[in-house]
Amino acid sequence: MQILSSLLLMAATAQAHYRFSKLIVDGVAETKEWTSIRTTKNYQDDHGVTDVSSTDIRCFQMKPGTGFATVAAGGNLGFIADQTVSHPGPVQFYMARVPDGHDLNTWEAAGNVWFKAASIGAEQPPAGATNRALTWPTYHQRSVNFTVPTAVPSGDYLVRVESIALHQAQQAGGAQFYLACAQVKVTGGGTGTPGPLVAFPGVYRSGEAGLLFANYPVPTSYTPPGPPVWTSS
Ligand SMILES: *[C@@H]1O[C@H](CO)[C@@H](O)[C@H](O)[C@H]1NC(C)=O
Ligand SMILES: [Cu+2]
């Protein structure tokens, strides 16, 4: 068992990391990296962020943005990775509205401005399956997506994707975040008041339950970290 788990660990370590660099709006993919997504610091080596108290946990950005995508409320927004999502774990989407008078390209989104728009967590094994391990719907996918809530007010938003890799999360600090922020104009929005609003850094604590994961004993449930997904009703 010792040898097996260190072999598994080595295999996991050797896997390629990834970066989210292109958007898909209602199924239409951007052809060039960093068109609407702010260039991330891992744009060359695809490394993840592990320090949840660092400002890199917000957008991991290297420089301000230059472009934006337009999506209607209720539309589908996806992020394409340069590789597949090669680590198991949840994928979550947060949005922050750019306040009036601020520039979508340069707004920093500091403080309690982010609400969780969607979360793709673990799934239970099918009834009767011999392998009782949880499964991750986004594992090995090339892109991940969510539906922009219909009640979100129109306006300029940063949309933050995070894939939390849990393969080395047996101990505090082991979870790796693959994340990026897209610049998006939402049209045809509603009159909801998104919340609760949280801050990056701030909302996650090193060693909290959602950032820890061990394969043994086999976990029977998993709750992703952060606030609940906003529901407008
Ligand atoms: C969104 O993700 C789901 C689950 O992976 C997938 O089945 C669907 O095709 C994706 N939709 C788009 C528009 O990319
Ligand atoms: Cu990796």
Side-chain angles (χ1 to χ4, degrees):
M1 184 55 81
Q2 277 284 329
I3 294 171
L4 179 61
S5 46
S6 46
L7 282 176
L8 287 173
L9 187 63
M10 283 171 62
T13 311
Q15 278 172 351
H17 308 295
Y18 43 100
R19 60 178 179 265
F20 292 103
S21 50
K22 296 176 192 168
L23 278 186
I24 320 177
V25 180
D26 291 323
V28 179
E30 291 176 343
T31 54
K32 200 169 168 294
E33 289 192 292
W34 320 118
T35 300
S36 308
I37 298 176
R38 291 183 179 179
T39 306
T40 52
K41 288 183 184 171
N42 68 347
Y43 78 105
Q44 287 175 312
D45 67 5
D46 287 0
H47 71 280
V49 178
T50 53
D51 182 357
V52 296
S53 64
S54 140
T55 52
D56 282 346
I57 203 69
R58 188 182 302 147
C59 287
F60 203 15
Q61 76 185 56
M62 203 188 64
K63 54 185 184 183
T66 51
F68 63 87
T70 302
V71 62
N76 188 276
L77 200 55
F79 288 77
I80 308 177
D82 64 324
Q83 319 270 344
T84 65
V85 174
S86 56
H87 298 306
V91 168
Q92 306 195 93
F93 303 90
Y94 288 83
M95 296 176 69
R97 179 152 187 210
V98 182
D100 293 341
H102 288 263
D103 183 346
L104 176 58
N105 287 329
T106 56
W107 185 56
E108 287 288 342
N112 291 324
V113 294
W114 297 93
F115 69 94
K116 191 185 284 183
S119 177
I120 307 172
E123 286 182 355
Q124 299 292 331
T130 42
N131 183 348
R132 302 310 301 156
L134 300 172
T135 59
W136 305 98
T138 57
Y139 191 29
H140 295 319
Q141 298 300 309
R142 187 66 195 270
S143 69
V144 296
N145 70 77
F146 75 108
T147 300
V148 177
T150 51
V152 160
S154 298
D156 290 355
Y157 287 84
L158 287 183
V159 182
R160 177 182 173 282
V161 64
E162 67 177 9
S163 161
I164 307 178
L166 294 174
H167 60 296
Q168 292 175 357
Q170 299 86 352
Q171 288 163 359
Q176 301 167 4
F177 289 76
Y178 297 88
L179 71 109
C181 290
Q183 303 192 152
V184 172
K185 284 184 190 290
V186 175
T187 58
T191 56
T193 307
L197 298 177
V198 299
F200 288 101
V203 65
Y204 296 161
R205 302 278 166 196
S206 181
E208 72 171 278
L211 299 181
L212 292 175
F213 198 82
N215 290 318
Y216 300 98
V218 175
T220 54
S221 68
Y222 168 78
T223 304
V229 172
W230 174 56
T231 49
S232 55
S233 50

